[in-house]
């Protein structure tokens, strides 16, 4: 028992170190909404600075500590105003990647100044021992604990009792609301970034004697720090303190009693992160001001003549035209480029930020290496088997993505990559010990690919592998699976409403990217006769995302362009041509700086910038040329137009109750939508109309009630399954894929269901034409002239029509429209009513319409259901509803129900008795 207490108390020491770092990270998040992945790197830089002042220059404690903390705080303030403030309108992805760029930059600066060797720093705190009940406690640990508790108490008191603290809390909840109260979000953001980096500097000074001053290990302290902050829900200083202490104690005890598992102690933070994010079922909220701009995407179109020409020229240059040192560098660039293609597929196309791609490459290299070294398998067979193995591991890596996304996923995968590195890559029993895995020279089809004697052959093999992988990724981009991935990237809610199984898409994306990363990892590892797994440390996965971002995460060319920056690649060769003695750290430093600059100036990367310039040139030189109208390839002649194949179905909803906590949003509502009929769902703002549609389509689970479609109970079905069964909807907030064209929006809804396309798209993507239902919707809604126009460039009224057309593109049996006439003028509204009536009569579908435009509803609908505060108060024909006393009472002060658009203030023809106070109105329907 004494031993357990002894190690638990030792764990409290490291727990206090985590506390100091975590409180600074928490402060930054509360002030600006940014998770600073560079927080550990800030502590590392501060530790080196303090070492320089104290040991290198002989300064006293006070001036050395004061200058270090001031430098840290000043850098934090500068970073906020120069970098994070301009990124306020950027996507959460761009801001996270920017902090990864800062991680790379700070680590590169430390390498340039102090080199890769660790430094030792003695504690300036008293180090005598106290004995309590047979347990020895270091005085420095007690002091650290007191500092952590006092710091937490001060931060909590300031946050709770001072005007500035309350303003920071308000800004964390709603920056705009805080601004209306006179508090500048930028003032608060700058303050928290300055204080947060200052606290990181304090933490670096205090924990350096405990963990050592190292350029590799200290930046990765961000993993346990994130775990502690997540326990505190990124809001509570006291819970963060408790979480840091628990993690420290657990690591100490695991290190003592689970020492038979190498790296088990380093796995503790990841397990805590996973447990918190998955079991809590609540992610990290991201805050942005205004609309977010996602990185642009390439088309994936393959111009075979260009591809063949580039491959032939590249092969000739690698074979005979270039010096051997450049050939080796290009081989490294291309092998990394394959790994970066996995980043393009996963992050660029699907929006899943994984910081473990190089760990997957290392897993594949380990499997292939052991198969070659132990079983003597041929290289190609080993690659195939390793790809199968890494596919399985990639699917395991995808499991957290099924419950988390965005920042959460980045945190989980960073911890997962670090755990794999500590449990697997440092395990001598698996890797072959300190000497690594000897694999020797490889051959393929009888050709010797010895990387020492035949580096040109190895480079040619990598060129072929890169070309094949790039073509496969391009095929996926152009196929149905690529459209599904992009839909999930843009809006998971809208993707599910179009019948896309979001979970299946994520599994495919992770598995596909894992295989690509595995192939790249094998080629990176096998360039040496012995595989050294230090090449697959967690920092390499961060570099992979950074390099991919620089190259362009939405473009195939981003892989090879980003690969030029890797150590030993083309960038290294180029630098050595001008500065032969230059440190490799220059490349990491430059890359980190470029990531930050690209996040600010051009988040589409080098490839995106090149595509943009090319488009400008085409537009400039093509200006003034007459262009002949080209008929839509999807649109057949009128005589040959197929009629949409619609399966008539009845939607029957009975006794639906929806509760959010203690609030009942819908109580006992019922409706029936039959083929060929239009049912209106109306009610004052906040009546529960949108919640009713959400319950019918599966976005919220009703507490009680039954939802029947075509005689089948679909109450427990997921959203995508209901859509594929014929239940489609539009959204009040549109939720279109804004960066895609109108045609691409409709194509997503037109793609057939099934999993076969995930395999066929790899080799032969088929361009599925728009369905007859989509083409009919385009004609009826007048969208034929904007099919190839991006949705974001359309006026709001036309975007509303695109949303309706997309909901109709799948040929649904029942169509649910949430405020379809919002934003349309009177002429557009009248035309929409006529179009809907024609479609209902010709397709024999049922339509449920939620709308506030009473003339529109009364003139269009065959039946109307009225909700008020979640309760159904009327159901009948328009005339019956218009005359219902309860409806009149609910709508007193709202639009009159005579179909002429008169209001109570207009003095309509119906006499009214005094009614309850006016129902509160909001910009959008409250749930």
């Amino acid at each position: 028992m004494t031993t357990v207490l002894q190690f638990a108390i030792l764990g409290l020491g490291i727990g206090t170190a985590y506390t100091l770092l975590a409180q600074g990270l928490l402060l930054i998040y509360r002030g600006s909404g940014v998770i600073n992945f560079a927080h550990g790197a800030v502590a590392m830089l501060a530790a080196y600075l303090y070492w320089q002042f104290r040991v290198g220059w002989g300064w006293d404690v006070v001036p050395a500590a004061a200058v270090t903390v001031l430098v840290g705080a000043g850098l934090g303030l500068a970073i906020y105003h120069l970098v994070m403030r301009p990124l306020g309108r950027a996507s959460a992805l761009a801001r996270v990647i920017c902090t990864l760029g800062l991680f790379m930059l700070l680590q590169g600066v430390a390498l340039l100044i102090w080199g890769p060797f660790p430094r030792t720093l003695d504690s300036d705190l008293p180090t005598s021992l106290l004995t309590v009940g047979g347990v020895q406690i270091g005085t420095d640990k007690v002091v650290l604990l007191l500092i952590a508790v006092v710091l937490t108490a001060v931060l909590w008191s300031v946050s709770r009792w001072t005007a500035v603290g309350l303003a920071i809390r308000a800004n964390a909840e709603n920056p705009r609301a805080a601004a209306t109260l006179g508090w500048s979000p930028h003032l608060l953001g700058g303050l928290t970034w300055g204080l947060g980096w200052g606290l990181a500097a304090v933490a670096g000074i205090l924990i350096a004697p405990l963990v050592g001053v190292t350029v590799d290990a200290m930046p990765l302290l961000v993993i346990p720090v994130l775990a502690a902050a997540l326990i505190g829900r990124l809001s509570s200083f006291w819970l963060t303190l408790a979480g840091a202490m628990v993690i420290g104690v657990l690591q100490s005890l695991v290190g003592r009693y689970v020492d038979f598992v190498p790296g088990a102690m380093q796995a503790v933070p990841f397990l805590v992160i996973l447990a918190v994010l998955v079991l809590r079922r609540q992610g990290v909220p991201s805050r942005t001001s205004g609309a977010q701009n996602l990185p642009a995407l390439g088309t994936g179109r393959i111009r075979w003549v260009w591809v063949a020409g580039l491959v032939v020229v590249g092969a000739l240059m690698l074979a005979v035209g270039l010096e051997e040192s450049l050939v080796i560098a290009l081989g490294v660039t291309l092998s990394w480029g394959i790994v970066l293609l996995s980043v393009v597929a996963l992050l660029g196309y699907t929006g899943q930020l994984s910081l473990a791609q190089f760990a997957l490459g290392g897993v594949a290299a380990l499997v292939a290496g052991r198969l070659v070294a132990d079983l003597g398998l041929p290289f190609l067979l080993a690659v195939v088997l390793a790809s199968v193995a890494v596919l399985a591991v990639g699917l395991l890596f995808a499991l957290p993505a099924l419950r988390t996304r965005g920042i959460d996923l980045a945190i989980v995968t960073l911890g997962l990559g670090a755990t794999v590195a500590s449990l697997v890559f440092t395990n001598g029993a698996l890797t072959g010990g300190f000497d690594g895995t000897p694999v020797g020279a490889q051959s393929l089809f009888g050709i010797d690919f010895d990387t020492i004697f035949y580096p040109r052959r190895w480079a040619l093999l990598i060129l072929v592998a890169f070309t094949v992988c790039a073509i496969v990724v391009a095929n996926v981009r152009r196929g149905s699976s690529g459209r599904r991935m992009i839909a999930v990237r843009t809006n998971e809610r809208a993707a599910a409403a179009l019948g896309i199984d979001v979970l299946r898409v994520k599994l495919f994306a992770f598995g596909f990217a894992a295989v690509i990363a595995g192939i790249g990892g094998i080629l990176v590892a096998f360039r040496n006769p012995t595989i050294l797994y230090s090449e697959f440390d967690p920092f390499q996965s961060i570099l992979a995302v950074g390099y991919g971002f620089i190259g362009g995460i939405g473009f195939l060319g981003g892989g090879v362009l980003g690969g030029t920056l890797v150590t030993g690649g083309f960038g290294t060769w180029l630098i050595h041509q001008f500065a032969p003695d230059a440190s490799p750290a220059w490349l990491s430093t430059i890359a980190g700086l470029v990531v930050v600059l690209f996040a600010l100036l051009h988040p589409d990367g080098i490839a995106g910038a090149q595509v943009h310039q090319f488009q400008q040139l085409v537009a400039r030189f093509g200006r003034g040329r007459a262009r002949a109208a080209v008929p839509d390839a999807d649109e057949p002649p009128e005589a040959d137009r197929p009629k949409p194949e619609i399966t008539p179905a009845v939607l029957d909803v009975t006794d639906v109750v929806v509760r959010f906590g203690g609030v009942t949003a819908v109580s006992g509502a019922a409706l029936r939508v039959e083929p060929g009929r239009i049912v209106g769902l109306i009610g004052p703002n906040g009546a529960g109309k949108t919640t009713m549609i959400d319950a019918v389509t599966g976005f919220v689970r009703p507490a009680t009630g039954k939802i029947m479609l075509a005689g089948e109970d679909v109450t427990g079905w997921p959203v995508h399954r209901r859509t594929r069964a014929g239940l489609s909807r539009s959204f009040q907030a549109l939720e279109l894929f804004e960066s895609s064209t109108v045609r691409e929006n409709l194509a997503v809804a037109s793609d057939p269901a099934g999993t076969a396309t995930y395999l066929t798209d790899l080799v032969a993507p088929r361009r599925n034409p728009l369905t007859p239902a989509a083409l009919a919707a385009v004609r009826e809604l007048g969208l034929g002239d904007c099919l190839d126009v991006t949705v974001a460039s359309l006026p709001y009224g036309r975007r509303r029509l695109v949303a309706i057309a997309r909901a109709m593109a799948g040929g649904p049996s029942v169509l649910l429209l949430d405020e379809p006439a919002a934003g349309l003028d009177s002429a557009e509204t009248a035309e929409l009513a006529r179009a809907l009536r024609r479609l209902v009569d010709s397709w024999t579908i049922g339509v449920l319409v939620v709308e506030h435009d009473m003339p529109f509803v009364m003139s269009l609908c065959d039946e109307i259901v009225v909700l008020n505060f979640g309760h159904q108060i009327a159901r009948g024909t328009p005339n019956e509803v218009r005359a219902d006393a309860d409806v009149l009472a609910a709508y007193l002060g709202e639009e009159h129900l005579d179909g002429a658009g008169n209001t109570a203030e207009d003095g309509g023809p119906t006499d009214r008795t005094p009614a309850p106070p006016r129902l509160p109105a909001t910009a959008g329907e409250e749930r």
Side-chain angles (χ1 to χ4, degrees):
M1 187 64 182
T2 302
T3 304
V4 173
L5 290 175
Q6 182 70 67
F7 277 89
I9 290 173
L10 290 175
L12 290 177
I14 194 65
T16 57
Y18 294 158
T19 299
L20 297 174
L21 272 173
Q23 303 294 26
L25 185 142
L26 175 57
L27 193 61
I28 289 173
Y29 179 78
R30 287 166 66 99
S32 62
V34 176
I35 297 291
N36 181 24
F37 281 86
H39 209 63
V42 177
M44 176 268 301
L45 182 65
Y48 271 108
L49 282 174
Y50 187 70
W51 176 89
Q52 186 67 51
F53 295 149
R54 287 284 289 136
V55 179
W57 296 343
W59 289 16
D60 290 334
V61 173
V62 174
V67 172
T68 300
V69 173
L70 287 175
V71 169
L75 285 175
L77 188 63
I79 289 296
Y80 176 78
H81 286 289
L82 295 177
V83 179
M84 291 301 164
R85 180 175 176 177
L87 285 175
R89 293 184 64 86
S91 65
L93 170 65
R95 291 182 292 167
V96 168
I97 290 178
C98 188
T99 66
L100 296 176
L102 292 173
F103 185 115
M104 297 163 59
L105 178 61
L106 294 176
Q107 190 178 53
V109 168
L111 281 169
L112 285 175
I113 298 175
W114 292 285
F117 303 107
R119 302 291 194 275
T120 57
L121 190 63
D122 295 330
S123 176
D124 293 311
L125 301 175
T127 57
S128 59
L129 295 177
L130 302 174
T131 303
V132 179
V135 177
Q136 291 186 332
I137 305 173
T139 308
D140 56 339
K141 307 299 188 300
V142 175
V143 174
L144 282 174
L145 180 60
L146 290 175
I147 292 174
V149 172
V150 170
L151 172 65
T152 302
V154 170
L155 291 173
W156 175 79
S157 300
V158 170
S159 171
R160 188 173 181 85
W161 305 112
T162 67
V164 174
L166 292 173
I168 292 175
R169 290 175 61 192
N171 189 59
E173 297 292 332
N174 192 324
R176 292 184 178 180
T180 61
L181 297 176
W183 289 96
S184 168
H186 300 308
L187 174 65
L188 298 173
L191 176 63
T192 53
W193 271 79
L195 290 176
W197 280 47
L199 286 176
V202 172
I205 293 171
L206 294 175
I207 67 177
L210 298 177
V211 300
V213 184
T214 60
V215 76
D216 295 325
M218 286 193 74
L220 293 178
L221 288 176
V222 72
I223 298 174
V225 165
L226 284 169
L230 288 174
I231 291 176
R233 297 178 180 269
L234 287 168
S235 60
S236 170
F237 292 110
W238 288 111
L239 287 178
T240 299
L241 168 68
M245 295 301 175
V246 168
I247 293 171
V249 170
L250 286 176
Q251 281 192 303
S252 180
L253 294 176
V254 168
R256 170 63 178 85
Y257 293 103
V258 197
D259 56 348
F260 55 88
V261 179
M265 186 174 71
Q266 286 74 25
V268 170
F270 163 70
L271 296 176
V272 172
I273 290 172
L274 189 63
V276 171
L277 288 179
V278 174
L279 298 180
R280 182 182 288 173
R281 300 186 181 184
Q282 180 178 357
V284 178
S286 61
R287 302 201 305 270
T288 54
S289 57
Q292 299 187 40
N293 298 316
L294 294 172
L297 297 177
T299 62
R301 185 180 306 162
I302 300 176
R303 294 173 173 84
W304 291 105
V305 175
W306 282 93
V307 171
L310 289 173
V311 170
V312 170
V313 171
L316 290 174
M317 294 178 67
L318 291 175
V320 296
L322 300 176
E323 62 178 81
E324 194 168 281
S325 61
L326 179 55
V327 169
I328 295 173
L330 290 175
V332 173
T333 290
L334 289 173
S335 57
W336 263 78
I338 296 174
V339 179
L340 298 188
L341 286 177
S342 77
V343 176
V344 171
L346 188 58
L347 177 55
Y349 295 167
T350 323
Q352 304 299 303
L353 177 54
S354 170
L355 297 178
Q357 289 308 101
F358 236 82
L360 290 169
V363 170
L366 173 63
V367 174
R370 302 310 300 184
L371 290 175
V372 170
D374 296 343
L375 301 181
L377 294 185
F379 175 68
L380 182 59
L381 180 58
V383 170
V384 172
L385 295 177
S387 298
V388 174
V390 81
L391 170 62
V393 176
L395 294 177
L396 290 176
F397 275 41
L399 295 180
L402 305 184
R403 301 287 292 273
T404 60
R405 69 184 71 172
I407 298 173
D408 306 344
L409 184 60
I411 295 171
V412 171
T413 52
L414 177 61
L416 187 55
T419 301
V420 170
S422 61
L423 290 178
V424 178
F425 299 152
T426 60
N427 190 333
L430 297 176
T431 63
F434 181 79
D435 295 331
T437 305
V439 292
Q442 304 305 314
S443 63
L444 188 63
F445 305 120
I447 302 174
D448 191 353
F449 284 94
D450 191 312
T451 57
I452 296 178
F453 295 103
Y454 306 107
R456 295 181 185 275
R457 294 181 185 178
W458 184 251
L460 287 171
L461 177 64
I462 296 175
L463 174 63
V464 172
F466 177 86
T467 303
V468 172
C469 290
I471 290 173
V472 172
V473 174
N475 289 341
V476 169
R477 166 65 181 93
R478 298 195 316 278
S480 298
S481 53
R483 287 190 287 272
R484 294 168 188 164
M485 292 161 68
I486 294 169
V488 170
R489 165 193 188 250
T490 308
N491 190 321
E492 291 187 16
R493 178 178 167 91
L498 296 177
I500 295 173
D501 188 341
V502 174
L503 300 184
R504 187 174 297 175
V505 170
K506 289 184 177 181
L507 285 172
F508 169 77
F510 269 87
F512 175 62
V515 173
I516 299 295
I519 294 172
I522 291 170
L523 294 175
V524 168
F526 274 72
R527 77 178 188 274
N528 298 313
T530 300
I531 298 178
L532 301 176
Y533 297 94
S534 58
E535 292 186 293
F536 300 99
D537 65 71
F539 183 58
Q540 304 306 311
S541 293
I542 294 175
L543 289 177
V545 172
Y547 294 151
F549 187 76
I550 293 172
I553 58 174
F555 299 86
L556 295 175
V560 67
L561 290 171
T564 60
L565 298 171
V566 306
T567 301
F570 176 75
T572 302
W573 178 87
L574 190 63
I575 289 177
H576 285 170
Q577 301 309 301
F578 298 97
D581 298 327
S583 168
W586 274 109
L587 209 57
S588 175
T589 306
I590 294 171
L593 181 61
V594 172
V595 168
V596 174
L597 292 176
F598 267 80
L600 287 169
L601 304 176
H602 210 301
D604 297 333
I606 298 174
Q610 292 174 342
V611 170
H612 181 67
Q613 291 174 355
F614 178 76
Q615 291 173 342
Q616 286 183 324
L617 287 174
V618 171
R620 180 178 179 181
F621 289 103
R623 189 175 298 161
R625 298 180 183 177
R627 298 181 62 185
V630 179
D632 185 2
D634 287 330
E635 184 71 67
E638 185 169 359
D640 299 330
R641 289 173 185 168
K643 182 180 179 181
E645 296 181 1
I646 307 298
T647 303
V650 176
L651 173 65
D652 201 352
V653 182
T654 56
D655 298 327
V656 167
V657 176
V658 179
R659 296 189 181 95
F660 299 105
V663 177
T664 300
V666 178
S667 178
L671 55 85
R672 181 181 176 88
V673 182
E674 298 178 347
R677 292 177 62 81
I678 302 178
V679 177
L681 181 62
I682 67 173
N685 287 320
K689 303 183 294 297
T690 295
T691 303
M692 183 69 169
I693 287 186
D694 284 346
V696 171
T697 53
F699 285 98
V700 297
R701 184 63 60 87
T704 61
K706 183 175 291 188
I707 302 168
M708 305 289 293
L709 180 65
E712 190 165 5
D713 188 352
V714 301
T715 309
W717 288 13
V719 176
H720 71 275
R721 188 178 175 189
R722 299 188 197 200
T723 302
R724 293 300 182 184
L727 194 60
S728 183
R729 67 167 294 177
S730 69
F731 292 92
Q732 181 179 341
L734 301 186
E735 305 204 27
L736 294 166
F737 309 134
E738 298 283 339
S739 61
S740 301
T741 65
V742 174
R743 186 189 303 275
E744 289 169 336
N745 271 264
L746 299 177
V748 175
S750 300
D751 282 331
T755 59
T757 54
Y758 289 115
L759 296 177
T760 58
D761 282 348
L762 299 176
V763 292
R766 188 170 63 91
R767 181 179 179 269
N768 293 313
L770 298 182
T771 61
L775 294 173
V778 168
R779 289 193 301 270
E780 291 291 350
L781 299 177
L783 298 174
D785 60 338
C786 61
L787 280 175
D788 296 310
V789 178
T790 57
V791 171
S793 63
L794 294 175
Y796 182 82
R798 302 212 79 184
R799 296 212 306 271
R800 174 68 66 179
L801 296 178
V802 172
I804 298 172
R806 191 181 68 177
M808 299 166 60
S813 303
V814 180
L815 179 64
L816 289 74
L817 302 176
D818 197 351
E819 299 195 21
L824 304 183
D825 59 29
S826 56
E828 291 173 327
T829 300
E831 180 56 34
L832 173 63
R834 288 191 291 270
L836 286 176
R837 176 51 65 184
R838 287 195 299 269
L839 290 171
V840 168
D841 292 340
S842 61
W843 292 12
T844 320
I845 66 171
V847 176
L848 176 67
V849 177
V850 170
E851 186 54 68
H852 286 283
D853 188 331
M854 289 300 105
F856 175 81
V857 173
M858 292 293 171
S859 63
L860 177 67
C861 296
D862 303 300
E863 183 183 13
I864 295 176
V865 176
V866 187
L867 297 181
N868 190 24
F869 288 112
H871 295 273
Q872 182 172 311
I873 61 174
R875 179 178 176 180
T877 66
N879 288 333
E880 292 171 344
V881 169
R882 186 184 292 116
D884 191 284
D886 291 335
V887 176
L888 294 177
Y891 268 90
L892 185 59
E894 303 278 348
E895 292 103 333
H896 202 282
L897 299 185
D898 62 359
N902 297 327
T903 63
E905 291 76 17
D906 295 327
T910 304
D911 293 332
R912 297 183 180 179
T913 57
R918 182 186 178 101
L919 294 172
T922 60
E925 177 166 321
E926 299 174 354
R927 295 184 179 180

